Amino acid sequence: GDSVTQMEGPVTLSEEAFLTINCTYTATGYPSLFWYVQYPGEGLQLLLKATKADDKGSNKGFEATYRKETTSFHLEKGSVQVSDSAVYFCALRDNNNDMRFGAGTRLTVKP
Amino acid sequence: EPEVTQTPSHQVTQMGQEVILRCVPISNHLYFYWYRQILGQKVEFLVSFYNNEISEKSEIFDDQFSVERPDGSNFTLKIRSTKLEDSAMYFCASHISWADTGNTIYFGEGSWLTVV
């Protein structure tokens, strides 16, 4: 079935460093792709999304581009802040409208 | 910003007891979901619900689980006889339309269940 694989964490960066969290997917159809973020003690929040190939989702300085040729949706941010420390989940929504999540990548940003 | 609300935020229950987790989806949404996240693990799909019936369920969603939409606003997850391994964060989610796969699924903040 459809699935998502994202890089294992934890990832530890210094403030203002460049962030990449890799995500690749396997799908039979044309899924929508999402990044969700879970801050400590909170629920899942949508960070950004892309619904078709070559779409770029962006929010709060984060970006991800839907790459059909490489089946990827890598999350990037040019300069991370301490407040970005959280767990990031890549997800796809399949043709049955069910969300499939990656395992999550914990990011810690140190001042 | 509309939101999905869940209660309780945290519940501790004894093994073998029944638990009901409650969710109020966004009012004009039509599709409802439960997911769970065991501590430190990935978010797992449990069940989807549309038009007053289950549309899909995972292998995790066995006979001890059930869902119900008892009125126009609530969507509940019942665990009949809890086991230690049911300890997890349970997320309710909803979205408006099946037709547009780009529509955002909104998640609640989760109900943390601890079975002792």
Side-chain angles (χ1 to χ4, degrees), chain B residues 36-101:
Chain B
R36 79 170 185 193
Q37 183 185 23
I38 295 172
L39 187 65
Q41 298 186 25
K42 67 193 304 183
V43 178
E44 301 171 293
F45 168 75
L46 290 179
V47 64
S48 57
F49 191 87
Y50 169 70
N51 200 26
N52 285 320
E53 59 183 26
I54 291 173
S55 45
E56 191 177 351
K57 59 184 181 180
S58 72
E59 57 275 9
I60 301 168
F61 194 88
D62 60 23
D63 289 344
Q64 70 158 345
F65 290 93
S66 62
V67 289
E68 194 177 32
R69 190 154 161 81
D71 51 43
S73 59
N74 290 285
F75 178 54
T76 61
L77 174 70
K78 183 193 288 187
I79 309 174
R80 262 181 268 283
S81 178
T82 50
K83 303 193 281 281
L84 294 176
E85 54 264 36
D86 294 327
S87 296
M89 178 78 89
Y90 289 81
F91 291 103
C92 175
S94 70
H95 80 96
I96 189 168
S97 168
W98 183 88
D100 179 359
T101 57

Side-chain angles (χ1 to χ4, degrees), chain A residues 1-45:
Chain A
D2 295 359
S3 65
V4 171
T5 303
Q6 62 182 104
M7 65 185 281
E8 291 188 19
V11 173
T12 303
L13 296 173
S14 297
E15 213 165 17
E16 298 183 6
F18 184 85
L19 169 71
T20 300
I21 301 178
N22 289 341
C23 172
T24 57
Y25 67 90
T26 303
T28 52
Y30 300 96
S32 295
L33 301 175
F34 305 82
W35 277 99
Y36 280 83
V37 58
Q38 185 179 29
Y39 297 104
E42 299 185 17
L44 294 170
Q45 299 175 29

Side-chain angles (χ1 to χ4, degrees), chain A residues 32 36 49 93 97-99, chain B residues 35 56 98 102-105:
Chain A
S32 295
Y36 280 83
K49 68 178 183 182
R93 188 145 121 223
N97 273 311
D98 294 324
M99 297 288 285
Chain B
Y35 290 80
E56 191 177 351
W98 183 88
N103 272 327
T104 299
I105 290 182

Side-chain angles (χ1 to χ4, degrees), chain A residues 77-91:
Chain A
K77 186 173 186 182
S79 176
V80 293
Q81 305 301 312
V82 172
S83 57
D84 293 327
S85 297
V87 181
Y88 292 82
F89 292 91
C90 185

Side-chain angles (χ1 to χ4, degrees), chain A residues 36-93:
Chain A
Y36 280 83
V37 58
Q38 185 179 29
Y39 297 104
E42 299 185 17
L44 294 170
Q45 299 175 29
L46 177 66
L47 181 59
L48 52 85
K49 68 178 183 182
T51 59
K52 60 183 188 299
D54 300 326
D55 269 4
K56 178 188 280 188
S58 60
N59 185 25
K60 299 181 182 179
F62 290 89
E63 291 183 342
T65 302
Y66 190 143
R67 302 271 187 216
K68 193 162 178 291
E69 63 277 12
T70 53
T71 62
S72 65
F73 192 56
H74 304 323
L75 182 69
E76 296 182 337
K77 186 173 186 182
S79 176
V80 293
Q81 305 301 312
V82 172
S83 57
D84 293 327
S85 297
V87 181
Y88 292 82
F89 292 91
C90 185
L92 67 78
R93 188 145 121 223

